[in-house]
Amino acid sequence: MADKPPDIYEFECFRFDPLKQELRRDGQKVSVGQKALGILGALVEHRDRSVSRDELQDLVWGSAVSLNPNSVDQAVSSLRKALEDDRDNPKFIKTIHGAGYRFIATVNVTSASKLGPQPAHHRLLTGLACLA
């Protein structure tokens, strides 16, 4: 039995494709590091709960890797910058003190196998969310 293609995640004017490890805003590729994209993938996959720093480290770097204690926080900071998210008034990533991080935006999930080219009106309507 073949594995199902990974889901595509859309939130506000962003689109995240975990298979391509690609984040787009209004159809334009956003420059962000691979670890930050790994953090994004972990947070949107587990958006129903907070994800601890230790769990993020295991999911993104692997459990055998010994990290600088600030590596996860630095990757989250880089991701927030790419998303233009404000730590003190977040739209996407909320810090849960003592617990980790949680993705708080509404996410639309589409199976990659069902995606085709997006019509122009979809791109326009999606792009308007970033203007608000």
Side-chain angles (χ1 to χ4, degrees), residues 43-114:
L43 292 175
V44 296
E45 278 286 321
H46 303 288
R47 62 192 174 279
D48 59 328
R49 63 179 177 84
S50 63
V51 183
S52 72
R53 285 173 180 81
D54 288 343
E55 186 177 0
L56 286 171
Q57 177 181 335
D58 289 348
L59 291 169
V60 176
W61 282 267
S63 58
V65 175
S66 178
L67 288 182
N68 174 324
N70 295 323
S71 295
V72 171
D73 295 334
Q74 289 169 350
V76 169
S77 179
S78 174
L79 179 57
R80 281 184 169 137
K81 184 176 179 180
L83 295 172
E84 298 180 7
D85 200 18
D86 180 1
R87 179 182 183 195
D88 297 323
N89 189 23
K91 293 185 345 182
F92 302 111
I93 302 169
K94 182 175 183 176
T95 300
I96 309 296
H97 295 286
Y101 300 97
R102 183 168 184 182
F103 197 84
I104 58 172
T106 300
V107 177
N108 294 315
V109 181
T110 306
S111 172
S113 63
K114 294 181 182 178

Side-chain angles (χ1 to χ4, degrees), residues 16 100 116:
F16 175 58

Side-chain angles (χ1 to χ4, degrees), residues 3-15:
D3 291 335
K4 82 173 187 81
D7 294 323
I8 303 295
Y9 302 97
E10 294 180 311
F11 48 95
E12 299 234 355
C13 58
F14 291 96
R15 183 178 192 175

